[in-house]
Amino acid sequence: PPVRVFDSRGTVFPATGAKLQPGESVAVTVGGSQFGPTEFGVAVILNCTVTQTEKSGYLIIRGSDLTGERPLPDTSSINWWGPGQTMGNLVFCDVGGEFAVEVHNGGAGATHFIIDVQGFVVLSFATTQPG
């Protein structure tokens, strides 16, 4: 069943109640022993909702990379067009090595956001033994 793993309004730990500011990124745990699969090669299906938006903007959601080793992609995961909006979008993305996704605010204003995990895709690699 779906599970809420993050709500920046402070209703789900470790959220602090602060909005995600423009240009800011945060890691959100979506797997591991706490929420789901612990195998590598995992992709996640998320419902991402923005609410209490301040200006137009967009979020980018991808497998966590808060070390900055990879550039942000040129595509967005969810867009909104003005202040006071609440919008949701289904997102499919890889999961970082920390069983987390990175949420980046590329917009002009701050926003609250909510992440609900809808499901996982785990890649299995069969090995064959000689003989």
Side-chain angles (χ1 to χ4, degrees):
V3 60
R4 180 152 296 169
V5 296
F6 193 87
D7 186 336
S8 66
R9 298 172 297 179
T11 61
V12 176
F13 180 79
T16 63
K19 289 183 176 182
L20 188 63
Q21 299 298 312
E24 184 178 28
S25 294
V26 297
V28 175
T29 301
V30 295
S33 60
Q34 187 175 9
F35 298 116
T38 57
E39 296 91 350
F40 286 97
V42 176
V44 65
I45 303 163
L46 307 169
N47 186 61
C48 177
T49 303
V50 294
T51 189
Q52 301 174 22
T53 60
E54 292 181 358
K55 296 180 180 178
S56 64
Y58 62 95
L59 295 183
I60 296 171
I61 302 172
R62 65 166 178 183
S64 63
D65 180 44
L66 295 178
T67 60
E69 296 169 2
R70 298 182 297 160
L72 286 168
D74 293 330
T75 57
S76 61
S77 302
I78 187 168
N79 304 285
W80 61 95
W81 294 270
Q85 290 188 317
T86 298
M87 304 180 79
N89 197 28
L90 195 65
V91 176
F92 182 85
C93 70
D94 63 322
V95 176
E98 305 83 22
F99 300 107
V101 295
E102 175 184 356
V103 180
H104 176 80
N105 183 351
T111 187
H112 279 298
F113 72 96
I114 302 159
I115 300 286
D116 297 315
V117 172
Q118 303 294 314
F120 293 94
V121 177
V122 179
L123 303 177
S124 296
F125 298 100
T127 59
T128 39
Q129 304 273 332

